[in-house]
Amino acid sequence: MKRLISVLLALVMVLAAVATLAACQNPDNGGEETTVNNGNNDETTVGDETTDETTGEEDEKIEFIAPVRPADAVLPTAKVGDYTYNSYAISLGSNWNPHAWETNADQSILSYLTSPFVTMEALDTEEGLYQWVGEMATAIKDVTAQKQDLLTKYNVTLPEGKTAEEVKSGYVFEFTLNPNAKWEDGTIINADSYVYSMQQLLSPDMKNYRANLYISGESAIAGGFDYYYSKDAGFYVGVATKYESNQAAVDAGETIYVDIYELWGTKGYKNEAGENCPQWLPMNDDTVYFAVDAEGNKLLDEDGNPVDEISAKDAYEYYLGIGYGPYFEVGKDLAYCLALYTANDNVGATWECVGLVKTGDYSFLYVCDTAIDFNYFLTSCTDTWLVHEGLYEAGKKEVDGLVVTDYMTSLATSISYGTYKMTVFEDNKQVVYEQNENWYGFEKTEDGKLVSFTQFTVDGKYLQQYITTKIVIDVMTEDVAKQKFLKGELMSYSPTAAELNDYKLSERLQVVDETYTMSFFFHTNLDNLKALDASGKNAFSVVLNNYNFRKAMSFAIDRADFVTATQAWTPAYSLMNHLYHYDIYNDPSSSYRKSEEAMQAIVNLYGVEYGEGKIYETLEDAYDSITGYNLTEAKALMTKAFEELVAEGLYTEGSAIKIQIGWAKGSLTEDDTKQCELIQKYLNAAVEGTGFGTITLEPLGNINDRYGDTAAGLYAIGYGAWGGAAFYPFRNFQVYTDPTQYDINEAGCWDPTTETLTLVVEGEEVTMTWQAWGNSMIGTGVYANADNKVKLAITAQMEEAFLAKFYRIPLAVTTVCSLSSYKVEDYTDEYNIMYGFGGFRIMDYNYNDAEWAAYVAEQGGELNYK
């Protein structure tokens, strides 16, 4: 899953749109991420009829053709000179190899050095229209109807009840490549470049991390999975995919394996024989592995004792012994650490099984394993897998039985085919990019300066693009960044929540909602909560096992007040906010949140009535009235929860309640502390007079994985966000219901693989597991090809039913807040989810470097943005 570009980088650093169809978490405020940009080009034709000469049948022609600027186009006068963009980062990446990058910092570097097949750009900013624009591809066409034989050849997964001959679209895509594309060193990029790069990405000898985007998911390449695992005798699959519990698997004669890397962090450990600790071990394996130093010697503490020694058996039994037994036994909690070994029936699969077919020097076919909508396929093309063969091969070596490469891990091993090239990289200090003279879009002026103009129009005009000549990113803290911004040395700064009030009237302040919804998520298993209480970390956190207590928490929170302690976040009462659209390509107004189905779900959740003679006459009026805050209802629910907990012997009247919250990956900020204090105030107002004692909440920071730790029971409450996939809300429930693809944050509450849900679909009641419902509208799911009305009904009912469990309580929608320097000017001040404020590409400058220095000096070296 791609990680969220940070507040500053999101606005100014990412040059190429980076997209994935997966819904992901926000790392700074709750996990991992993705920014998704989608759009249609005005020259894209969808639905034109052509005749297949071989069959005589009419087939749908679906294609994207890149716009080309006519020779007589009117171009603006070019700005030529030195235009430096100065920015900052908390840290720099260490591995920006497109096959192996992992962090936000890695990806931000990669974005400067690459160009995608296509990007999405503004078309008409007044109307909010967007367009697909070609970069490394000049055309992408759906040729499934003409290449149906490839569906059989590459053994694709066909829709249920369909034969290859009946499938007309969604599988085979023809790419025509940009013939002017070159590497920074002048090396030509052609179809062979892409074939080589895919072979390396999927190499069974390398096991590249980013292959996950191509061996699974909507745009997975046919045969990719088989080739990637062609040298593996088998795979590890979750116990829950085959059995109702771990015990059921054992009773059936299965051996359960433990991912001891994930469970205990033993990667790099050794045993007494000097052998490396493997990732997977049988749960009864008693081989002891221990931490070692760089020379492979056992790490000892000051008393001469081993720093850490563990066996798979001991690790498993340790978790059973401290109260994780119920979850371990039913395959819920920490289920991602437990798996079954399944034999591989495709050992020896060769590259020929992979559906990437060169058809010419500058063309190839890409065969998808499952059907995908054309626009969603274009979305996947906002990224590529391209690598430079010479540098990639030069950096190869073998480590622990796998081939690795140092490609794109330093200045010396990096090379660009994007708009900019790296010229300086000092680890944890600075990275500098300058214009890449071999980028296909640049032309030289008479004095040797590089300029470029769009091939597409924005608001009917051709524009100069990539005016920035140099980008300098320095590593610094936020407080240092603020001072440098005010001195004109940085082009943007993200004010804290406390500072926002000072700048709320500034014409240079930009505040934009994200897709991420910050929420509390819970661990409700009673035995584990008792263990937390017994440890002294919590006191009476067992109250969270009570449904009415959790529901009361939700109703007690004054979200409108809560967001005053945030960076201009907006209140949230649902899982998905107003940025989610269910048919964005055909209807830009197709807001999921404003659909009748989605509004009805939230109205039902909060019990708001509407209709003739009611306070609210219409559904929309009722929906718009919701604040999520009802202290009267919260008190009533707390009273009921108190009575139930006392009756069960779980709570003693008047006893103080203390609950630690897994709050942040990094150190706690002033904003974090204030937010937690507000939540504590709301809860104490709700329990007053109900029989409960006072509630103390303790936020904890510097937690590497508060999601997994909360699911494991190390915390009773976690704080974080899910977001992304804004243009296909129908897949979002996978992150809550499918533990085979995602680590379920609420795994300490329930098992969606066995719990069933009954929904009404087209007037009929249908019952499936939550996991099955979450996957029902994706790929080969039973409703994957249903119309949007059906999908809306399913999604909205799932949202209501899941929220009604109060395993997750939405609090606020995160925002990107940034002060923009007087030196630069965004194309438009009207934000659009499809293209932002126009993007870095067409950003303009009010001053060149010399003019800016003079301006700052005129202001006495200190700028005023208030």
Side-chain angles (χ1 to χ4, degrees):
M1 289 187 290
K2 299 185 177 180
R3 301 180 187 272
L4 175 67
I5 297 163
S6 68
V7 167
L8 289 170
L9 299 180
L11 287 178
V12 299
M13 287 182 60
V14 177
L15 309 183
V18 179
T20 173
L21 293 179
C24 304
Q25 294 168 324
N26 177 326
D28 298 324
N29 300 317
E32 298 176 346
E33 95 81 41
T34 181
T35 301
V36 181
N37 290 327
N38 303 301
N40 283 324
N41 181 269
D42 58 334
E43 296 188 36
T44 299
T45 57
V46 180
D48 292 345
E49 297 293 328
T50 60
T51 301
D52 184 335
E53 295 180 0
T54 61
T55 65
E57 298 178 357
E58 289 187 341
D59 294 320
E60 188 176 37
K61 179 182 179 183
I62 308 175
E63 62 183 23
F64 157 75
I65 306 295
V68 177
R69 188 179 68 237
D72 60 351
V74 177
L75 302 178
T77 301
K79 288 188 175 181
V80 180
D82 295 324
Y83 294 93
T84 302
Y85 194 97
N86 295 89
S87 188
Y88 76 97
I90 304 302
S91 63
L92 298 178
S94 59
N95 176 10
W96 43 98
N97 175 355
H99 294 177
W101 69 270
E102 294 188 33
T103 70
N104 165 41
D106 293 337
Q107 198 283 322
S108 66
I109 292 176
L110 180 62
S111 68
Y112 287 98
L113 308 179
T114 61
S115 289
F117 289 116
V118 296
T119 63
M120 191 285 307
E121 307 293 344
L123 174 63
D124 184 325
T125 58
E126 184 174 343
E127 297 296 327
L129 302 179
Y130 51 90
Q131 58 186 314
W132 286 114
V133 169
E135 300 291 347
M136 297 297 283
T138 60
I140 299 177
K141 302 178 181 179
D142 186 332
V143 294
T144 306
Q146 294 78 42
K147 301 290 182 180
Q148 291 169 322
D149 60 311
L150 298 184
L151 306 186
T152 301
K153 178 178 179 179
Y154 292 105
N155 194 31
V156 306
T157 305
L158 295 169
E160 187 174 349
K162 293 280 189 178
T163 65
E165 291 73 22
E166 295 173 306
V167 175
K168 301 293 185 180
S169 64
Y171 282 92
V172 186
F173 299 91
E174 180 182 57
F175 285 69
T176 302
L177 300 175
N178 185 340
N180 300 315
K182 297 179 181 178
W183 288 96
E184 171 191 333
D185 64 359
T187 302
I188 291 173
I189 296 173
N190 55 25
D192 289 328
S193 309
Y194 284 97
V195 172
Y196 165 82
S197 299
M198 183 63 82
Q199 287 174 330
Q200 302 309 304
L201 173 63
L202 301 180
S203 169
D205 297 318
M206 299 188 77
K207 287 292 192 293
N208 282 304
Y209 176 67
R210 284 295 152 190
N212 65 337
L213 300 174
Y214 297 89
I215 64 175
S216 63
E218 285 87 345
S219 58
I221 192 167
F225 184 92
D226 291 342
Y227 182 62
Y228 183 83
Y229 286 109
S230 60
K231 294 188 177 181
D232 292 68
F235 323 101
Y236 292 95
V237 296
V239 177
T241 62
K242 290 189 174 184
Y243 297 94
E244 292 186 358
S245 68
N246 290 339
Q247 190 58 52
V250 172
D251 291 345
E254 297 273 14
T255 298
I256 296 179
Y257 289 82
V258 173
D259 180 353
I260 198 166
Y261 285 7
E262 187 73 35
L263 185 66
W264 205 267
T266 59
K267 187 174 184 179
Y269 282 32
K270 303 274 188 181
N271 62 19
E272 292 292 350
E275 299 167 327
N276 290 326
C277 178
Q279 182 174 2
W280 293 94
L281 289 165
M283 68 182 189
N284 59 356
D285 190 297
D286 58 6
T287 305
V288 175
Y289 295 90
F290 46 81
V292 297
D293 60 21
E295 285 72 41
N297 301 313
K298 186 181 296 187
L299 281 177
L300 303 176
D301 61 22
E302 57 186 15
D303 297 323
N305 299 315
V307 170
D308 189 20
E309 288 186 323
I310 195 69
S311 69
K313 180 179 180 181
D314 288 342
Y316 182 83
E317 291 181 350
Y318 168 79
Y319 276 94
L320 290 179
I322 63 170
Y324 294 92
Y327 283 122
F328 247 39
E329 286 305 307
V330 299
K332 292 180 182 178
D333 191 21
L334 298 175
Y336 52 87
C337 295
L338 306 174
L340 306 175
Y341 182 78
T342 300
N344 181 8
D345 295 331
N346 293 294
V347 174
T350 64
W351 169 252
E352 282 64 36
C353 77
V354 179
L356 190 69
V357 185
K358 176 185 173 183
T359 55
D361 289 343
Y362 290 93
S363 61
F364 62 80
L365 299 175
Y366 185 107
V367 185
C368 287
D369 185 56
T370 59
I372 183 172
D373 175 86
F374 184 68
N375 283 293
Y376 290 115
F377 185 74
L378 287 186
T379 300
S380 73
C381 295
T382 57
D383 201 0
T384 82
W385 57 89
L386 186 63
V387 294
H388 185 282
E389 183 172 354
L391 277 179
Y392 199 90
E393 291 293 330
K396 282 185 175 180
K397 63 180 180 180
E398 186 171 323
V399 177
D400 294 334
L402 288 176
V403 175
V404 299
T405 178
D406 66 0
Y407 180 73
M408 293 286 218
T409 58
S410 67
L411 177 61
T413 61
S414 294
I415 190 168
S416 171
Y417 64 95
T419 317
Y420 296 90
K421 61 183 180 181
M422 182 186 291
T423 56
V424 175
F425 183 84
E426 297 180 70
D427 192 24
N428 291 320
K429 185 176 181 182
Q430 185 187 72
V431 59
V432 178
Y433 308 94
E434 297 181 39
Q435 289 173 313
N436 173 16
E437 60 272 16
N438 275 320
W439 181 62
Y440 51 81
F442 281 132
E443 53 189 86
K444 286 189 176 181
T445 64
E446 291 182 357
D447 59 355
K449 297 291 186 179
L450 298 175
V451 297
S452 183
F453 299 93
T454 59
Q455 295 291 328
F456 56 94
T457 62
V458 181
D459 297 330
K461 301 171 294 186
Y462 291 99
L463 304 174
Q464 185 177 356
Q465 60 182 352
Y466 299 117
I467 297 174
T468 302
T469 54
K470 180 188 286 188
I471 302 158
V472 180
I473 301 169
D474 291 297
V475 175
M476 65 186 72
T477 60
E478 294 284 352
D479 56 336
V480 172
K482 178 182 179 181
Q483 297 307 313
K484 286 186 173 292
F485 174 72
L486 295 177
K487 292 180 182 298
E489 298 174 20
L490 293 176
M491 299 301 97
S492 68
Y493 170 68
S494 180
T496 65
E499 295 169 337
L500 273 177
N501 193 55
D502 295 335
Y503 296 104
K504 64 182 180 182
L505 299 180
S506 174
E507 63 179 9
R508 307 301 296 184
L509 178 66
Q510 297 171 325
V511 180
V512 176
D513 283 346
E514 297 182 291
T515 60
Y516 299 93
T517 299
M518 293 301 296
S519 307
F520 282 145
F521 51 96
F522 298 98
H523 188 110
T524 65
N525 176 263
L526 188 56
D527 289 335
N528 294 346
L529 293 175
K530 287 179 178 179
L532 282 175
D533 292 340
S535 72
K537 294 179 179 179
N538 289 347
F540 290 104
S541 64
V542 290
V543 297
L544 296 175
N545 175 259
N546 184 276
Y547 170 82
N548 286 308
F549 188 93
R550 299 193 307 275
K551 185 175 181 179
M553 279 186 65
S554 181
F555 279 82
I557 297 171
D558 185 346
R559 292 160 174 82
D561 183 58
F562 174 76
V563 297
T564 63
T566 70
Q567 199 177 44
W569 297 353
T570 55
Y573 329 109
S574 56
L575 294 176
M576 292 179 278
N577 66 18
H578 66 97
L579 294 176
Y580 285 83
H581 290 71
Y582 59 85
D583 193 18
I584 192 72
Y585 300 111
N586 300 307
D587 180 8
S589 67
S590 59
S591 167
Y592 167 75
R593 196 72 274 149
K594 283 295 185 179
S595 70
E596 289 188 5
E597 293 82 354
M599 288 193 293
Q600 187 67 59
I602 304 306
V603 166
N604 292 347
L605 179 71
Y606 290 100
V608 182
E609 297 182 345
Y610 67 93
E612 187 176 351
K614 305 289 185 181
I615 296 176
Y616 306 107
E617 291 189 1
T618 68
L619 171 61
E620 188 168 6
D621 290 340
Y623 175 77
D624 290 341
S625 75
I626 293 171
T627 66
Y629 177 55
N630 187 330
L631 184 57
T632 301
E633 179 68 11
K635 280 182 171 292
L637 289 165
M638 282 295 186
T639 299
K640 187 174 182 180
F642 166 76
E643 294 169 351
E644 292 170 342
L645 288 162
V646 169
E648 294 169 6
L650 296 175
Y651 182 75
T652 303
E653 183 174 358
S655 298
I657 298 169
K658 176 190 172 184
I659 303 175
Q660 291 183 332
I661 301 177
W663 196 279
K665 184 171 185 177
S667 299
L668 294 178
T669 66
E670 183 181 340
D671 292 351
D672 293 327
T673 302
K674 179 62 175 176
Q675 290 165 28
C676 192
E677 288 174 350
L678 286 175
I679 297 294
Q680 180 175 291
K681 182 182 77 171
Y682 306 145
L683 295 186
N684 279 308
V687 300
E688 186 177 353
T690 65
F692 284 115
T694 57
I695 297 176
T696 301
L697 301 178
E698 181 185 359
L700 300 178
N702 296 313
I703 303 171
N704 184 54
D705 180 17
R706 60 197 180 281
Y707 302 98
D709 289 350
T710 300
L714 299 183
Y715 307 105
I717 305 177
Y719 183 50
W722 279 107
F727 303 144
Y728 200 73
F730 308 131
R731 68 158 300 141
N732 279 44
F733 275 94
Q734 288 181 309
V735 303
Y736 304 107
T737 64
D738 189 2
T740 64
Q741 295 190 64
Y742 298 93
D743 295 339
I744 305 300
N745 297 164
E746 301 79 16
C749 299
W750 71 321
D751 184 359
T753 67
T754 58
E755 186 172 326
T756 60
L757 173 68
T758 299
L759 303 179
V760 177
V761 183
E762 295 186 290
E764 299 290 332
E765 288 191 349
V766 181
T767 300
M768 294 193 288
T769 66
W770 277 85
Q771 182 184 38
W773 279 116
N775 294 325
S776 67
M777 295 168 281
I778 306 299
T780 58
V782 63
Y783 297 110
N785 296 315
D787 63 35
N788 283 335
K789 199 71 174 174
V790 172
K791 293 179 180 178
L792 276 172
I794 294 172
T795 303
Q797 289 178 82
M798 289 188 71
E799 185 176 28
E800 178 185 348
F802 181 75
L803 284 172
K805 290 178 175 293
F806 295 97
Y807 292 154
R808 192 175 194 95
I809 296 177
L811 299 173
V813 172
T814 62
T815 58
V816 172
C817 300
S818 180
L819 287 167
S820 179
S821 169
Y822 294 120
K823 183 180 181 181
V824 296
E825 205 68 49
D826 286 315
Y827 178 80
T828 176
D829 58 5
E830 292 294 327
Y831 177 81
N832 186 291
I833 190 174
M834 308 301 280
Y835 50 77
F837 294 101
F840 189 93
R841 180 178 199 148
I842 56 176
M843 185 185 70
D844 201 356
Y845 279 77
N846 296 316
Y847 305 89
N848 63 29
D849 291 353
E851 293 167 344
W852 179 244
Y855 173 78
V856 173
E858 288 173 3
Q859 307 305 310
E862 190 80 13
L863 303 177
N864 182 8
Y865 285 92
K866 295 182 180 179

